[in-house]
Amino acid sequence: MAVTCDLSAERFVDRWSDYVGAPPLTCGIVDVGERTRPTVSGVDPDRVRTVSDPGNLQHLHDAVETHLSELPDADRTVVYLDTVNALLDHVPIPSVTGFLDRLTSSLSALGAVSCASFETGERGERTIRPVTETFGTVFELGRLGRSLEPTDDQLSSDDVFEVLSSRSQRLVLRSLLRAEGTLHVRELAQRIAAAQTTEQPDIEQIVTRLHHIDLPKLRETGLVAVEDRVVSATEVVTEVEPYLALAHPDERN
């Protein structure tokens, strides 16, 4: 399902078709803006609604929920907001963030997933931070898309994939992120044990593995620092956080 603010409904489907080679198989569209009700090739007219005023966020929220309730398999639906910028051009930041919070909560209750694009080039930090914080995961894209080529302060793609191929190292990073970045080694081991599927994980074995395998590797890649048995996540962790969000659902509980 698409909420088309920047693009028209027709243009959204055209762009989809350009990439995929055919219109969406099952699609609902809420077309936002002062446009006439569109006739979109390949999309059932009853699946296209219009919200003429981008500033009427309640109307937009209701249109999305109503539309989604009519789509089959809501728990397999992705709702895509084609740009947050159009909303920010019409309503204040607190109203936009409140709308996004309500929308993502409503969709989560239905089992749907939401995502949005946000062009930050002309926006200041006071706008970017509160908007991006309404989403669980943020992928930062450049003009040609996100690059895996390393700079002096970045992980190489080989480092990223090597770390994330280890379940125990993923659990270390996720535990640190949930603890806002710092944990004593023993507390870290306890959190990892709580995430294990075995009934009685051995804490001492986990501590030993941390000291001899996981923490040395994570220190080598610059993802953590260790001092006096206290483990801290570094700023570099933000580079792998989006990938952690794509891991097995059992690891995200």
Side-chain angles (χ1 to χ4, degrees), residues 193-240:
Q196 302 287 3
T197 56
T198 56
E199 294 183 2
Q200 294 182 327
D202 189 322
I203 296 292
E204 296 306 321
Q205 286 185 358
I206 295 174
V207 169
T208 299
R209 179 182 172 89
L210 284 172
H211 278 305
H212 294 285
I213 300 175
D214 295 327
L215 294 181
K217 178 58 182 177
L218 293 171
R219 289 180 67 179
E220 178 186 339
T221 55
L223 288 163
V224 305
V226 183
E227 184 174 356
D228 294 332
R229 296 175 63 83
V230 174
V231 185
S232 302
T234 69
E235 293 182 358
V236 184
V237 169
T238 58
E239 294 183 33
V240 300

Side-chain angles (χ1 to χ4, degrees), residues 8-19:
S8 66
E10 300 99 318
R11 183 61 189 130
F12 172 80
V13 173
D14 286 345
R15 182 171 291 185
W16 177 289
S17 300
D18 288 343
Y19 281 106

Side-chain angles (χ1 to χ4, degrees), residues 44-113:
D44 184 341
D46 291 336
R47 303 255 179 188
V48 181
R49 283 181 168 79
T50 58
V51 174
S52 60
D53 181 7
N56 191 337
L57 298 181
Q58 186 59 53
H59 187 190
L60 178 54
H61 181 275
D62 293 344
V64 172
E65 278 204 326
T66 301
H67 215 351
L68 188 60
S69 69
E70 298 172 355
L71 288 174
D73 301 324
D75 60 346
R76 298 176 59 193
T77 298
V78 175
V79 178
Y80 171 62
L81 180 63
D82 78 335
T83 178
V84 175
N85 299 70
L87 302 182
L88 289 169
D89 289 340
H90 291 85
V91 291
I93 297 172
S95 297
V96 172
T97 56
F99 163 75
L100 293 173
D101 279 334
R102 293 193 304 275
L103 181 64
T104 53
S105 296
S106 297
L107 298 180
S108 178
L110 292 169
V113 175

Side-chain angles (χ1 to χ4, degrees), residues 132-154:
T132 55
E133 285 179 348
T134 61
F135 293 92
T137 304
V138 176
F139 293 88
E140 186 173 353
L141 304 177
R143 290 182 180 274
L144 298 178
R146 181 163 47 85
S147 172
L148 290 178
E149 292 302 317
T151 64
D152 291 340
D153 298 323
Q154 290 180 321

